[in-house]
Amino acid sequence: MTKTPRTVHAVTTKILKPVRPAAAGSSTATDLMESLPGFLGSGGVCGVAVAMSDEPWTSAFFDDRTRFGIAGDGLRLSGPSPGSVAELLRLAFTRLPPLPPAPGEGLYLDADERGVLEPEQECLVLDLMDDLRRTRLGTVQLDLVRDGERRPWEMLAFVDDDRGRHLAALGRRRGGHRRFWWLPGSVERLADFVEGRVPDHG
């Protein structure tokens, strides 16, 4: 019997399935220029986080290096730029329950131009699927624009389970290939990805 190859799409679908209904009715990062007064759209970071935990919520945020703005369910903040992407995200995720990063070093998967994962990574995929079968405590999907670039990441998400918080990141195609990271999750590590400081796995 021919074995069906595993794909990046199958992995990301499994991760984002809980939030897709909520995200379908939410804003996108590019809407922020109209929805958050004062945003000039000239560099910096803006984004929308759509979360599912006890109940769905959305947080929209921007920092144009001069000032920041955050608008969410029952939350509105603005003022001078905190000067830190991590601090901006920490403020934007005020409603996110505190949780330690999941244990371990995490993993990464490489896919070809069709999104098919490398065959020798089967054991890593099985480890990832074991994590995704654990009881889900919450999921946060992020839509981001940084320095005027549209969607530098195909996917950024937090996944919470009984072991802690995971960070899922899928890079955009470079030379026809994509890389997927599954790492212990924290605001600081998410900020590294937002700023392009991704882990170097050789």
Side-chain angles (χ1 to χ4, degrees):
M1 184 173 66
T2 303
K3 192 171 184 179
T4 302
R6 294 184 184 269
T7 66
V8 168
H9 176 72
V11 172
T12 57
T13 296
K14 182 76 171 175
I15 290 170
L16 296 181
K17 184 178 179 180
V19 297
R20 280 199 163 142
S26 73
S27 302
T28 64
T30 51
D31 294 329
L32 291 179
M33 286 177 257
E34 297 178 1
S35 65
L36 290 178
F39 179 57
L40 302 178
S42 56
V45 174
C46 69
V48 172
V50 180
M52 295 289 291
S53 49
D54 291 338
E55 59 184 27
W57 57 269
T58 302
S59 182
F61 54 89
F62 77 86
D63 184 339
D64 65 5
R65 297 193 176 94
T66 300
R67 54 191 172 283
F68 81 95
I70 296 171
D73 300 326
L75 175 69
R76 185 170 287 274
L77 300 170
S78 62
S81 168
S84 162
V85 171
E87 183 60 26
L88 172 69
L89 294 173
R90 195 173 290 109
L91 291 169
F93 295 160
T94 298
R95 293 190 58 187
L96 191 62
L99 203 65
E105 296 182 359
L107 55 86
Y108 72 90
L109 303 169
D110 285 318
D112 64 17
E113 65 278 359
R114 298 167 297 161
V116 176
L117 297 169
E118 301 292 343
E120 64 270 16
Q121 296 183 329
E122 187 67 22
C123 60
L124 296 178
V125 176
L126 293 176
D127 289 343
L128 171 58
M129 290 304 177
D130 282 344
D131 279 346
L132 295 178
R133 279 191 286 269
R134 301 183 78 91
T135 300
R136 189 81 63 95
L137 303 179
T139 308
V140 181
Q141 178 181 350
L142 288 135
D143 176 33
L144 281 163
V145 173
R146 175 176 172 266
D147 291 331
E149 297 179 8
R150 294 179 61 85
R151 299 183 61 83
W153 297 94
E154 290 189 45
M155 184 187 74
L156 284 173
F158 278 143
V159 178
D160 294 350
D161 61 28
D162 57 339
R163 298 180 70 215
R165 180 159 292 150
H166 305 267
L167 172 63
L170 178 61
R172 294 198 72 81
R173 296 185 184 186
R174 290 175 182 259
H177 294 265
R178 282 175 283 181
R179 175 165 285 184
F180 172 84
W181 289 264
W182 179 251
L183 302 169
S186 66
V187 167
E188 289 75 19
R189 177 158 265 168
L190 174 61
D192 286 343
F193 274 81
V194 173
E195 295 180 308
R197 299 195 303 270
V198 300
D200 181 8
H201 291 285

